Amino acid sequence: MRRLSIGFIPLTDAAVLIAAAERGFAMAEGIEIALHKEVSWANIRDKVNIGLLDGAHMLGPLAIASSLGLGHVRVPLVVPFALNLNGSAITLSKSLYAQMAETDFDLSTAPGAAKALGQVVRVRRAAGAEPLIFAAVYAFSTHTYLIRNFLKAGGVDPDKDVRQVVVPPPFMAESLRNGLIHGFSVGSPWNSVAVDADVGRIAVLGAELYGWVPEKVLGVHARFANAEPDVLHRLVRALHAAARWCEDPANHEDLARLLGETRHLALPADVLRRTLDGRLRTAPGGALRVHPDYLVLHRDQANRPDPGHALWIYHQIVEARQGEWAPDAAREAVSVYRPDIFDAAVGASPVLPPRSPDCVATQFGPAFDADLFLKTGGQSD
């Protein structure tokens, strides 16, 4: 039995990894997964980099940034499996959301909420108020790009009109309660935790901005992937079987209890069940906001790493001026996502129709033109 040390952050989208370890899927492949609960993505990055972890539940952009040497030392990572798509939201303080409600925009729609926030930002700026502060979980994260694009949709320059900071997921709600930040973008269930604690209001679901956006992946060091391909294939098969189990609503009650255990997320099972089912309260006691694609754990080939998603992430890195565009860097970013390893482990997948209007199913605003980006590296705005 090969024992693997795998790190995770307490988030609902660690479900596939936790289920693989705890519901017999890894054991069936002759693997024992020793789960290591970490508090921040920087911890995950550093422990995978130096070999304390064999792999981890990881932000897709983190794996690409690490492989490109952006924001830290360059360490080549490999993504053989996507743990989920979507699953995030943007939550704002009650006072900020109340100011948005005083505008004429419809807060029940993502474009309306973006425009309302933009109007509040402009009013504050005209009055000489301090810039609003928004948090994401890590500089290189889908959450950073979600909140930047949400702000831009409201006419806000995320680099000039507001401040952006990094806060680990479990500390988001308390940071909002203490007035350290005015809003945040994070994966579930921490948006729901802030709502249930009556310190925040969910303004928009990530799936309302991008309908098929890359999120967490299994990230491993390239050294491990090259040295033990058979072990990696067995791990991918175990995760694939676990993901199929997690996607089935009939298993959500059991899965929510498992995730809620103290050694995992240490949160009430009913909160986790709502996020697994895509039914979120945006305010205490308010109506449920339901989205069928709020969190996708398996279906429609969600687990197969999509090189198009890797290129979209690199585009976001360039847009955010976290790295300069270069053809070699674009090719290297795409090569981090490894559908070939996934296919070798679980078999070839049928070809599905492409998403519209682009690989992340952009819901409003400019669509991602992959061909144009590869030719010019041009920014969309």
Side-chain angles (χ1 to χ4, degrees), residues 82-141:
L83 292 168
N84 70 293
L85 300 170
N86 303 342
S88 298
I90 294 173
T91 296
L92 305 175
S93 69
K94 290 196 299 180
S95 61
L96 175 56
Y97 196 77
Q99 293 173 57
M100 291 165 57
E102 293 174 358
T103 70
D104 294 330
F105 297 105
D106 179 5
L107 300 191
S108 68
T109 70
K115 291 174 182 174
L117 178 58
Q119 181 167 315
V120 171
V121 169
R122 286 187 288 276
V123 168
R124 287 177 59 92
R125 185 173 56 200
E130 290 290 319
L132 296 170
I133 302 173
F134 295 98
V137 300
Y138 189 73
F140 298 95
S141 67

Side-chain angles (χ1 to χ4, degrees), residues 52-320:
L52 290 177
L53 295 173
D54 295 301
H57 168 230
M58 185 179 289
L59 299 156
L62 187 161
I64 290 174
S66 180
S67 297
L68 296 178
L70 299 174
H72 202 256
V73 297
R74 180 180 180 279
V75 175
L77 300 180
V78 168
V79 171
F81 191 89
L83 292 168
N84 70 293
L85 300 170
N86 303 342
S88 298
I90 294 173
T91 296
L92 305 175
S93 69
K94 290 196 299 180
S95 61
L96 175 56
Y97 196 77
Q99 293 173 57
M100 291 165 57
E102 293 174 358
T103 70
D104 294 330
F105 297 105
D106 179 5
L107 300 191
S108 68
T109 70
K115 291 174 182 174
L117 178 58
Q119 181 167 315
V120 171
V121 169
R122 286 187 288 276
V123 168
R124 287 177 59 92
R125 185 173 56 200
E130 290 290 319
L132 296 170
I133 302 173
F134 295 98
V137 300
Y138 189 73
F140 298 95
S141 67
T142 303
H143 314 87
T144 292
Y145 310 133
L146 287 179
I147 205 160
R148 287 181 63 88
N149 289 317
F150 183 62
L151 288 165
K152 287 197 281 189
V156 176
D157 186 331
D159 296 313
K160 296 179 179 177
D161 297 334
V162 300
R163 287 186 59 204
Q164 299 169 77
V165 299
V166 168
V167 175
F171 302 154
M172 287 291 193
E174 280 307 304
S175 296
L176 201 61
R177 184 198 303 276
N178 294 328
L180 300 176
I181 57 177
H182 299 95
F184 59 76
S185 175
V186 71
S188 63
W190 299 106
N191 296 284
S192 295
V193 169
V195 169
D196 288 355
D198 198 21
V199 299
R201 299 288 182 266
I202 294 176
V204 62
L205 307 181
E208 294 169 336
L209 300 175
Y210 299 97
W212 206 247
V213 75
E215 261 291 339
K216 308 308 185 301
V217 299
L218 171 71
V220 302
H221 199 294
R223 180 179 56 236
F224 167 65
N226 293 331
E228 300 191 70
D230 176 64
V231 173
L232 185 56
H233 289 174
R234 284 189 276 148
L235 176 58
V236 168
R237 281 196 293 274
L239 292 173
H240 192 250
R244 185 185 300 114
W245 184 83
C246 289
E247 182 77 38
D248 187 345
N251 298 319
H252 283 184
E253 184 173 347
D254 180 24
L255 180 57
R257 282 198 304 267
L258 175 66
L259 296 176
E261 293 180 10
T262 302
R263 61 199 170 116
H264 298 140
L265 274 65
L267 289 169
D270 65 315
V271 176
L272 296 163
R273 177 66 190 268
R274 291 203 304 269
T275 63
L276 288 169
D277 293 343
R279 300 178 299 112
L280 283 80
R281 295 195 190 283
T282 58
L288 290 170
R289 195 156 176 167
V290 180
H291 197 297
D293 292 335
Y294 171 67
L295 175 64
V296 180
L297 295 172
H298 176 68
R299 59 190 159 81
D300 297 335
Q301 299 180 16
N303 303 127
R304 188 175 189 268
D306 182 350
H309 283 168
L311 186 63
W312 179 84
I313 289 170
Y314 178 61
H315 171 254
Q316 295 300 317
I317 288 173
V318 173
E319 287 264 304

